[in-house]
């Protein structure tokens, strides 16, 4: 479990490196029937920034944790990029798409940590 938490921290740093905002970490470990242990949700202000955040997460996880995503979807239009690290799912949204899907409410039973934006 400690390795998974390290991966979540690394992913968060990768998001912050590209000025991703409104980071929420949803801890799903206490819930039954979930697809992974953590969701990391954030947003970028443009498709270019969403793609840059996803690239940064991928690089940080590879360099610092030796991890590669099993699957990445959404890069084509970069409105919602989902990255599957098996135990951790990363969701990088444009603001309006994030609001529409509202994953935080969908997983409201999970313990959620809001990471303050960097200035």
């Amino acid at each position: 479990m400690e390795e998974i938490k390290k991966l979540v921290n690394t992913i968060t740093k990768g998001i912050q490196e590209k000025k991703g905002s409104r980071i929420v970490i949803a801890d799903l470990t206490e819930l039954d029937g979930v697809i992974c242990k953590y969701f990391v949700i954030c947003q970028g202000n443009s498709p270019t920034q969403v793609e840059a955040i996803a690239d940064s997460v991928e690089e940080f996880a590879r360099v610092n944790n030796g991890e590669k995503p099993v699957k990445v979807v959404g890069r084509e239009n970069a409105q919602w990029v989902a990255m599957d690290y098996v135990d951790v799912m990363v969701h990088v949204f444009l603001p309006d798409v994030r609001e529409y899907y509202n994953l935080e409410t969908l997983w409201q039973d999970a313990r959620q940590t809001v990471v303050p934006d960097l200035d």
Side-chain angles (χ1 to χ4, degrees), residues 4-14 25:
I4 298 169
K5 289 180 181 179
K6 286 180 185 175
L7 179 59
V8 169
N9 287 333
T10 298
I11 288 167
T12 301
K13 289 176 185 169
I25 300 166

Side-chain angles (χ1 to χ4, degrees), residues 3-18 20 23-25 38-42 53-62 64-65 67-69 83-92 115:
E3 289 298 314
I4 298 169
K5 289 180 181 179
K6 286 180 185 175
L7 179 59
V8 169
N9 287 333
T10 298
I11 288 167
T12 301
K13 289 176 185 169
I15 294 167
Q16 291 173 325
E17 174 70 18
K18 296 299 179 184
I23 302 169
V24 174
I25 300 166
Y38 290 90
F39 270 13
V40 181
I41 305 163
C42 71
I53 292 166
D55 290 344
S56 180
V57 165
E58 203 163 350
E59 182 178 346
F60 269 64
R62 181 181 50 77
N64 297 300
N65 300 76
E67 295 282 347
K68 292 182 179 180
M83 308 174 77
D84 182 354
Y85 284 91
V86 181
D87 289 319
V88 182
M89 289 287 299
V90 183
H91 301 274
V92 187
V115 179

